[in-house]
Structure formats: structure tokens, C-alpha cells
Amino acid sequence: MPQVSTPGSIVVLTGAGISKESGLDTFRDHDGLWARVRIEDVATPEGFHRDPGRVQHFYNARRRELSEGGIEPNPAHLALARLERDWPGEVLIVTQNIDDLHERAGTSNLIHMHGELLKIRCERCQRPMRWAADLEVSSLCPDCGRAGVLRPHVVWFGEVPLEMDRILTALDRCSLFVSIGTSGHVYPAAGFVSAVRNGGRARTLELNLEPSNGASLFHDVRTGPASELVPAFVD
Ligand code: BV8
């Protein structure tokens, strides 16, 4: 269990690396998603409006993999769920990931700052809803009934991440900030460690397969696979 003086709150940021050992691709590793598709084509609003079918195909392939590919939470996800259960202070998991592995591991105090793969959103009423295979981009919105555009409930580049106020408040109050499985390339998530360090109080720890882009900003950096590092940190 982490060594901090009083049971203050802990904020954990996770990225694609925590799900890698569950069988999901990362983005910027040599075999990652961005080695196969262009960000501009599938992870920007412009790309979606230029070719919604291509974007729908990209996300439907990831949905099928997540739902039918035997993808399960790994020991890192499970350890974080134990940390939330056993730590006397608050534990908030802020994930950049759009998979549902934290939920399925038992984590409940969770923010998906880049959205959720298994949800879609009507561009007219903006209400997120559970994705269903028979819902196409041009289907009538099941909520508002209008023909509009049903898009992935995912934050693309140039779009505002979700629940930023709640995240920044938690970062300001925490006693420990832990970053797991992220390359530290994408903002504002990559800037969270600086925000915590500027507060001057909290300890900061990076757990990653290799030092991230922001590793020098952390008090402690431990390298290795998340399925080993995270249980060792939690237990
Ligand atoms: C925004 C869609 C304004 C979902 C994604 C400065 C300030 C603010 C913004 C910017 C800025 N500079 C530039 C920007 C704009 C931009 C940005 O950051 N661009 C980058 C490229 C420079 N940011 C944005 O547009 C964001 N919006 O800024 O709005 C704003 C800001 C604040 C407040 C109000 C308004 C929106 C960004 C979201 C984009 N959407 N994806 C999807 O399809 O999944 S980004 C994409 O990258 C994913 O969401 C992913 O989560 C994210 C980060 O990637 P990682 O998770 O880190 O994955 P990666 O492959 O890179 O790294 C994996 C790591 O794991 C590696 O280090 C590897 O070593 C490690 N690893 C591998 N295996 C293991 C492992 N670790 C442990 N164990 C293992 N087994």
C-alpha cells in the first residue's frame, strides 16, 4: 500500500498501457493504432464529418474486439479496484481509455475523460446512450427522435475532455498522483503531473513500461508491465 502520512486522497491517471496486457492495442507503440490509421481521419470531428462511415468502421471494429474478443481486466485493473475498496481516503481513477475494463474490474469512482467506446451520442440532443450494433450514424436518435447524427461518445482531438472541473479539483486536493500506462503525449492529461507538482504538496509516481515523455516531472518512476507494477504498488 502507498506510503503517505495520512489517508489523503489518491488520483490515478491511466492510459492505453494499462489495457495492453488485456489484449488491447496502445496508440503510439510501434504496433499501436496510430501506426495503422491517421488521427486526422478517425479521431477528429473534421475526419468524422468528412467520412462518418470510416470513423464508424474504426470504432465498430474496436467495439467488436472489446465485446467479443475475450478481453478481460488484468491484474492492474483489479489492483486499482482493491485500492479503491481498501484505501481509507478517496481514490479517483481518471482514465484516458475508452474501454470498460476499469468498471468490469470493480472500480466505481471513475472518470472517462476521453469518453466511452460502448456509448454513442446524438449530435442534436447531446445525450449519451448505450451503443447498439443496429444503430447507424444516420439512425433516428432513440432519445430525441430526430434524424441527426449518432456519433461515438468519444473525445476527439480539438474537443474538450469530459469532467475537467472535477478532475482539476481532485488533482488540487490529492496527496498522491499516480500515472499508469500513458506516454504523456496528449494534453491536458499529460499536464496533470505539473498541475499537481505546482500545488507543492502531493507525491507523484509514474508506473510505465518505459519512462514516459513526462517522466522527469515525477518524484518516482518505476518501469515494467502494469500487471506487475500496479499490484506491487497497491498490495
Ligand atoms: C483539448 C480518442 C482543449 C479516443 C484521443 C496543450 C494543452 C491543451 C491541449 C493541447 C496542448 N497541446 C496540444 C493540444 C491539443 C491535443 C493534444 O494533446 N495533441 C497532442 C498530440 C500534442 N489535445 C486535445 O485536442 C484534447 N483536447 O486539449 O481541448 C481543452 C483542454 C483543457 C481544458 C479545456 C479544453 C483532446 C485529446 C483527446 C484526444 N482523443 N483518442 C480514442 O479513440 O481512443 S487521444 C488518444 O491518446 C487516446 O485517448 C489515448 O488515451 C491518448 C493518450 O495515449 P496513451 O493512453 O498515453 O497511449 P500511448 O499509446 O500514447 O502510450 C501508451 C503507453 O503505455 C506507452 O508509454 C507505453 O510505454 C506504455 N505501455 C505499453 N505497454 C505497457 C505499458 N505500460 C505498462 N504496462 C504495459 N504492459
Side-chain angles (χ1 to χ4, degrees):
M1 199 57 89
Q3 301 307 319
V4 286
S5 53
T6 55
S9 62
I10 301 175
V11 176
V12 181
L13 172 69
T14 65
I18 199 171
S19 298
K20 175 81 171 176
E21 291 163 272
S22 293
L24 293 179
D25 289 330
T26 62
F27 290 88
R28 293 169 187 82
D29 287 332
H30 70 280
D31 58 348
L33 283 166
W34 298 153
R36 301 204 292 274
V37 287
R38 285 172 8 109
I39 286 176
E40 297 76 9
D41 291 337
V42 296
T44 63
E46 297 79 13
F48 178 67
H49 291 112
R50 193 167 50 244
D51 187 346
R54 170 191 287 209
V55 174
Q56 194 75 338
H57 177 79
F58 172 67
Y59 285 97
N60 278 344
R62 293 169 69 187
R63 288 170 178 136
R64 276 195 299 276
E65 179 188 34
L66 184 60
S67 331
E68 302 159 12
I71 304 293
E72 296 295 336
N74 67 55
H77 298 104
L78 295 168
L80 290 180
R82 286 199 302 279
L83 178 67
E84 178 185 356
R85 186 193 63 203
D86 300 339
W87 183 249
E90 182 187 2
V91 176
L92 173 65
I93 310 293
V94 179
T95 188
Q96 299 173 90
N97 300 340
I98 61 176
D99 63 55
D100 61 348
L101 295 178
H102 283 300
E103 296 89 321
R104 285 165 53 196
T107 288
S108 53
N109 196 21
L110 171 66
I111 294 177
H112 278 278
M113 66 178 290
H114 290 166
E116 297 178 64
L117 183 58
L118 299 178
K119 288 186 180 171
I120 53 174
R121 186 171 81 234
C122 167
E123 283 208 327
R124 287 186 187 279
C125 66
Q126 289 300 315
R127 269 197 293 279
M129 61 197 85
R130 187 132 186 95
W131 167 77
D134 60 346
L135 282 174
E136 288 303 325
V137 169
S138 56
S139 303
L140 290 182
C141 170
D143 269 7
C144 69
R146 290 176 289 178
V149 176
L150 296 181
R151 58 163 282 177
H153 182 52
V154 162
V155 177
W156 287 321
F157 286 94
E159 296 188 317
V160 179
L162 305 175
E163 302 199 62
M164 280 302 295
D165 290 344
R166 188 173 153 214
I167 294 169
L168 295 175
T169 300
L171 291 171
D172 186 50
R173 290 179 177 158
C174 74
S175 304
L176 178 63
F177 173 68
V178 187
S179 177
I180 303 171
T182 180
S183 62
H185 276 102
V186 175
Y187 289 83
F192 289 170
V193 60
S194 298
V196 171
R197 291 297 302 259
N198 292 342
R201 285 184 310 102
R203 294 294 293 174
T204 56
L205 168 64
E206 177 179 271
L207 305 176
N208 211 53
L209 191 64
E210 58 199 14
S212 78
N213 212 36
S216 62
L217 299 169
F218 287 84
H219 292 105
D220 302 300
V221 174
R222 296 174 200 164
T223 53
S227 65
E228 293 172 17
L229 288 183
V230 183
F233 158 70
V234 169
D235 301 330

